[in-house]
Amino acid sequence: MVIRKRDGREVPFDDTKITDAIFEAAKSVGGADRQMAMEVTLDVLKYVKANYTGTITVEQVQDVVEKILIENGHAKTAKSYILYRAQRTGIRNARSELMDTVGEILKETDRDNANISNSPSAKMLQIASAASREYYLNRLIPKHMADAHRRGDFHIHDLDFYGKTLNCLNIPLGRLLKTGFNNGHGFIRPPRRPTSAAALAAIILQSSQNDMFGGQSFGFFDYDMAPFMEGEDEETVFQAMEALIYNLNSMHSRAGAQVPFSSLNLGLDTSEGGRKVIRNVLKAYDCGLGRGENPIFPNVIFRLKKGINMDKGDPNYDLFQLAIAVAAKRMNPTFSFMDSSFNKQYDGDVAYMGCRTRVISNRRGAEVTSGRGNISFTTINLPRLAIKAEHDIMAFYQELDEMINLVAEQLYHRFKVVANLKVGDLPFLMGQGLYLGSETLENNEKIETAIVNGTLSLGFIGLAETLIALVGKHHGESEEALILGEEIVAFMRDKMDKMSDKYDLNYTLIATPAEGLSGRFVRMDRKEYGIIPGVTDKAYYTNSFHIPVGYEISAYDKIGIEGKFHKYTNAGHISYVEFTSSPVNNTEAVEDVLKYMCACDCGYVGINFPIDYCDQCGYTGIIDGDYCPKCDVELAHERSRIT
C-alpha cells in the first residue's frame, strides 16, 4: 500500500512511524512499552488490510490507531495520542494561516495604523511580527490563555513582542543630557546648545524605541531642556524645536518602518529657559512640516496647574493661550490636569503619553514618572460578557470576575517571561540605566528587579455596548445605565487593586486605546451571536468608557459623564470634545471647555474636529471654498480630510 500525505504526495506505507507515535504517546503517560506499541501496530495493520485497498491517507491511519488503542484497553495512551494529534493539527493550521498572512503582507502592508508604511522593510517587519505572534500563541503562552485570545474573549496587545521587550517608557531625558550616553556606537557627550540638545533628544527617543515596542515619552521636556536655553535668542530655540519635530516625523525606527510613537509633556516650567522651550515647541508645531502638513508626532501634552498656567495672572497663562490656539488649528497639543483628584497628590509629577498611558503609583519603589512605564496590557471584550449574561447582571459580574482573574494570570505570565531577559538584551533601555532600578545591574543580570517598577494593565472596551446589552441603554441615555457603568468600572479597578496585593506588582486599569481592536471584537461577536441592535450592528465597539460618537449629546453633558470614569482608570484615560469645525476663531470656547473638563475631574483630554488637507501642496487647515488658499488649485479631486 501507499499512504497519501497531507500535501498530496504519495509515499510507501511505513509501519515504523505508527509504532514510534504510539510509543511516544505511551511514554508521555508513564506507560512506555515498545513491545505494546509493536503489538498495537500489528493490529492496526490487520485492520487497514481488511478495510482499505490501494491508497490510504494519513488522517485515516490516525483514526485507526485511535480506534485500536481504545479497543485494546490503552485509554490513557489513546488520550495522549489524540491530544498530540490535535496539537500537531493546530500547528499545521497556524502555519497555513501564517503563509496566507505573509501572502497578504507581500501584496500590501496592513494600513490599520496610519504610521505604518508600505516599504519593503515594513513588509519584512510585518512578516516577522506575524511569525512571532504564531510562535507565542502555539509555543509559549499557556493554551487556555492563547485560546482566550484567539476566541476574542480578551486581546493581548503587541503579541508579537510578548517575550522580547516592554511596552513604553517615560525617558529620564534630563539625566541623559547632563551625563551623556552610549547608544552602542560610542559615547555621546552632553550638549551645550539648543540645537545639539534637541538633536540628542531625538536620538535618545529613537534609541529607546529600538529596544521597545510601545510609546516613548519625555515627561518633563520643558524642565529637562531649559538648562540648554540660557542666553539663546528665540530664533535659535525655534530652529532647534522645529528640527526636533521634523526628526520625529522622519526617523523610521519602530516596527513596521514606523516613526517612534513620541510624546512631549510640557507647560509648567516658569523659568526663562523653560518658557522658551514651551513657546517654541508650540510655534514649531503650529507651523507644521515643510509644506504646512499636520505633524503626526510628537504628541504634545500641555500640563495644566492652577497658580502656574490655568488663569489670568498665572506666570504661564500666555503659554496656555498659545497652546489653545495651536490645538484649535492642529488638534494638538492635548491637555492634562495636575489638579484632578488622583493627580494632585503627586504635586504635578504626573505625565501622560499620547496613547493615554499614565504611570505614577508604585508599590515596589519610588512614586515617580521618569524611568518607568507600562510593561504590557491586555483588553477584555466587555460587550461579549454582557451578551452571554442575557440581561442577568449578577451572571455578568461572575463572568467578569473570572475573566479578570484569567487576564491577571496572563499578565503575570508575560511579566515572568520578560523578567528573564538580561540587561544585554535591551542594551540602551537597561544598559544605559533608563529604566528605574536598572542603574546598578550588570550586562548579564536579569531585569526583574528593575521592571517591578513598571505596570501591568487590564484594559476594557465597549462600556456603552455592554450597558445596552444589559439594560437596553448606554450611560449617555439613562441615569440607571450610568450608575451601572460606574459600578462596573469601579469593580474592575477594585479587582486590579486586589491583584496588586496578590502578585505584589503594579496592576492597574486602563481605558484601552482600541483603534483596530474595536473592529476585531465586534466582527467576532457578530459572527458568534448575530446582529444585536445597538451592540453588534456597527463596525466597531466604542472606545473604553466613551459615549458613542454618533449619539447626540452636548459637549458639557458628555464630559460630565465621562469625567466620572477617569479616577478609576489609573493606568490611563482620555476624553475628547468633538467640534464640527476648527475652533480657531473661537479659542475662548476651547478654554471654557477645558476648564469644565478640569472641574469634572478629568485627567487627560483633547479636542477633535475635521481638518482639510490639500494633496497638491500640503496645505492643512480649514478650506471654505473650492480652491486651496495656498496654491489656488481647484480642490474637487485634491482635498483629503483628516479626522
Side-chain angles (χ1 to χ4, degrees):
M1 295 183 69
V2 296
I3 187 167
R4 183 178 297 118
K5 309 284 281 185
R6 291 180 180 85
D7 60 9
R9 291 179 297 122
E10 294 186 354
V11 298
F13 195 102
D14 184 357
D15 57 274
T16 60
K17 291 188 176 181
I18 299 174
T19 304
D20 291 342
I22 296 171
F23 178 66
E24 290 300 321
K27 189 163 62 174
S28 71
V29 294
D33 186 338
R34 188 80 186 180
Q35 182 63 33
M36 180 275 288
M38 294 175 66
E39 290 172 358
V40 172
T41 301
L42 288 173
D43 289 339
V44 169
L45 295 175
K46 290 175 184 177
Y47 187 92
V48 168
K49 185 175 180 180
N51 294 276
Y52 296 91
T53 58
T55 301
I56 188 171
T57 67
V58 170
E59 295 290 341
Q60 289 170 329
V61 172
Q62 290 179 336
D63 290 341
V64 174
V65 172
E66 291 178 14
K67 173 182 172 62
I68 299 300
L69 280 170
I70 294 170
E71 289 179 352
N72 287 9
H74 304 296
K76 289 184 178 180
T77 301
K79 183 178 180 180
S80 174
Y81 183 87
I82 291 167
L83 289 174
Y84 177 74
R85 180 183 177 186
Q87 182 185 28
R88 297 299 300 174
T89 299
I91 292 172
R92 281 191 300 273
N93 290 340
R95 286 174 180 167
S96 177
E97 291 173 8
L98 175 59
M99 291 303 102
D100 291 341
T101 301
V102 169
E104 291 300 314
I105 292 171
L106 290 173
K107 293 176 187 174
E108 183 173 6
T109 52
D110 179 4
R111 299 307 302 274
D112 281 350
N113 184 340
N115 191 22
I116 298 176
S117 76
N118 194 39
S119 67
S121 61
K123 288 182 170 67
M124 290 298 292
L125 286 166
Q126 288 241 303
I127 290 169
S129 292
S132 291
R133 286 193 293 271
E134 292 304 325
Y135 171 79
Y136 288 129
L137 285 172
N138 287 288
R139 300 292 183 91
L140 181 67
I141 301 172
K143 187 176 184 300
H144 65 293
M145 299 176 189
D147 287 347
H149 173 87
R150 287 192 182 98
R151 286 193 305 266
D153 293 338
F154 61 61
H155 181 85
I156 302 171
H157 291 268
D158 299 286
L159 177 60
D160 45 339
F161 285 94
Y162 195 96
K164 296 186 184 78
T165 185
L166 318 176
N167 181 7
C168 57
L169 180 69
N170 286 291
I171 300 171
L173 175 64
R175 176 168 63 80
L176 292 172
L177 291 179
K178 183 178 180 179
T179 62
F181 58 90
N182 187 331
N183 70 344
H185 299 284
F187 186 76
I188 308 297
R189 64 175 176 79
R192 297 178 182 175
R193 301 283 306 279
T195 303
S196 55
L200 292 186
I203 291 170
I204 289 167
L205 268 172
Q206 184 180 38
S207 299
S208 185
Q209 183 70 86
N210 285 336
D211 276 3
M212 307 185 77
F213 62 77
Q216 304 299 316
S217 173
F218 293 142
F220 309 96
F221 186 70
D222 43 358
Y223 290 102
D224 291 342
M225 293 291 287
F228 307 99
M229 306 298 141
E230 298 297 331
E232 297 291 347
D233 61 84
E234 286 288 312
E235 179 61 22
T236 299
V237 179
F238 175 82
Q239 290 292 334
M241 298 304 111
E242 183 181 56
L244 175 65
I245 290 172
Y246 280 13
N247 280 332
L248 296 184
N249 284 275
S250 58
M251 300 186 306
H252 297 279
S253 57
R254 192 166 180 246
Q258 302 173 70
V259 297
F261 197 108
S262 54
S263 300
L264 310 180
N265 288 257
L266 45 73
L268 297 185
D269 191 348
T270 58
S271 70
E272 180 184 356
R275 283 175 51 81
K276 281 182 182 178
V277 172
I278 299 166
R279 184 166 53 247
N280 286 287
V281 166
L282 293 172
K283 285 183 176 180
Y285 207 98
D286 184 63
C287 290
L289 300 181
R291 298 196 304 176
E293 301 96 328
N294 227 54
I296 298 176
F297 292 112
N299 292 287
V300 180
I301 301 161
F302 194 90
R303 300 197 297 153
L304 289 165
K305 186 174 174 61
K306 293 173 183 176
I308 294 181
N309 54 19
M310 278 283 282
D311 301 300
K312 291 180 180 178
D314 289 348
N316 279 5
Y317 181 70
D318 60 326
L319 298 178
F320 177 32
Q321 297 300 299
L322 177 58
I324 290 172
V326 177
K329 177 181 178 182
R330 299 288 187 184
M331 293 193 292
N332 213 318
T334 46
F335 299 86
S336 62
F337 300 110
M338 298 298 102
D339 296 306
S340 59
S341 63
F342 42 88
N343 286 335
K344 191 171 184 177
Q345 61 182 301
Y346 301 107
D347 195 30
D349 188 24
V350 179
Y352 286 82
M353 297 190 189
C355 57
R356 77 193 66 187
T357 301
R358 171 185 180 271
V359 177
I360 183 66
S361 63
N362 189 6
R363 66 186 294 123
R364 300 289 293 272
E367 293 191 317
V368 296
T369 291
S370 287
R372 301 178 60 216
N374 179 251
I375 299 168
S376 68
F377 69 102
T378 297
T379 293
I380 285 178
N381 185 347
L382 208 57
R384 174 177 290 186
L385 300 180
I387 294 168
K388 291 168 66 177
E390 297 182 331
H391 308 291
D392 185 335
I393 293 175
M394 291 308 298
F396 167 79
Y397 273 115
Q398 184 175 352
E399 288 281 340
L400 178 58
D401 186 74
E402 292 175 2
M403 188 58 64
I404 293 174
N405 289 338
L406 179 59
V407 170
E409 181 189 1
Q410 180 271 310
L411 287 170
Y412 186 68
H413 177 266
R414 188 167 189 172
F415 171 83
K416 294 303 290 184
V417 169
V418 176
N420 279 317
L421 293 173
K422 295 182 179 179
V423 170
D425 295 320
L426 305 170
F428 189 72
L429 176 64
M430 298 293 172
Q432 293 299 298
L434 273 67
Y435 215 94
L436 183 65
S438 67
E439 304 91 339
T440 59
L441 295 179
E442 298 295 330
N443 197 56
N444 63 346
E445 289 187 280
K446 293 180 180 180
I447 65 172
E448 181 167 0
T449 56
I451 67 170
V452 294
N453 292 295
T455 60
L456 297 161
S457 301
L458 167 79
F460 65 96
I461 188 173
L463 180 64
E465 290 75 23
T466 299
L467 294 170
I468 292 171
L470 288 173
V471 297
K473 293 183 179 180
H474 61 67
H475 49 315
E477 299 175 297
S478 156
E479 183 68 22
E480 175 197 5
L482 175 57
I483 292 171
L484 177 59
E486 189 171 355
E487 288 177 352
I488 290 170
V489 177
F491 176 84
M492 291 191 287
R493 168 61 188 276
D494 181 64
K495 280 285 294 185
M496 294 313 284
D497 289 346
K498 290 175 180 175
M499 292 303 162
S500 295
D501 293 334
K502 177 179 178 179
Y503 292 99
D504 195 24
L505 292 169
N506 297 310
Y507 276 81
T508 52
L509 180 66
I510 187 169
T512 294
E515 285 91 31
L517 169 59
S518 58
R520 176 187 181 235
F521 276 168
V522 78
R523 284 192 303 271
M524 298 176 82
D525 289 350
R526 186 163 52 242
K527 183 178 180 180
E528 181 74 18
Y529 302 103
I531 295 176
I532 303 172
V535 183
T536 62
D537 61 344
K538 54 182 74 175
Y540 52 85
Y541 285 143
T542 304
N543 262 359
S544 60
F545 53 69
H546 290 179
I547 302 294
V549 174
Y551 181 69
E552 290 292 332
I553 187 172
S554 74
Y556 288 89
D557 287 342
K558 178 179 186 290
I559 293 307
I561 292 170
E562 292 186 7
K564 296 178 183 295
F565 297 94
H566 283 230
K567 61 180 174 289
Y568 300 112
T569 47
N570 57 337
H573 39 247
I574 194 167
S575 287
Y576 293 98
V577 167
E578 307 283 340
F579 289 84
T580 56
S581 61
S582 167
V584 68
N585 295 317
N586 191 9
T587 55
E588 295 85 358
V590 178
E591 182 174 357
D592 289 344
V593 165
L594 288 172
K595 288 185 174 179
Y596 186 72
M597 288 171 145
C598 181
C600 289
D601 207 26
C602 291
Y604 182 40
V605 301
I607 62 172
N608 275 346
F609 49 87
I611 297 178
D612 291 322
Y613 173 76
C614 176
D615 294 336
Q616 186 69 24
C617 72
Y619 174 82
T620 304
I622 301 302
I623 303 175
D624 293 325
D626 295 327
Y627 293 86
C628 174
K630 183 176 182 180
C631 69
D632 205 36
V633 167
E634 187 174 5
L635 294 170
H637 303 293
E638 300 292 345
R639 175 165 48 184
S640 299
R641 174 148 281 184
I642 301 171
T643 57

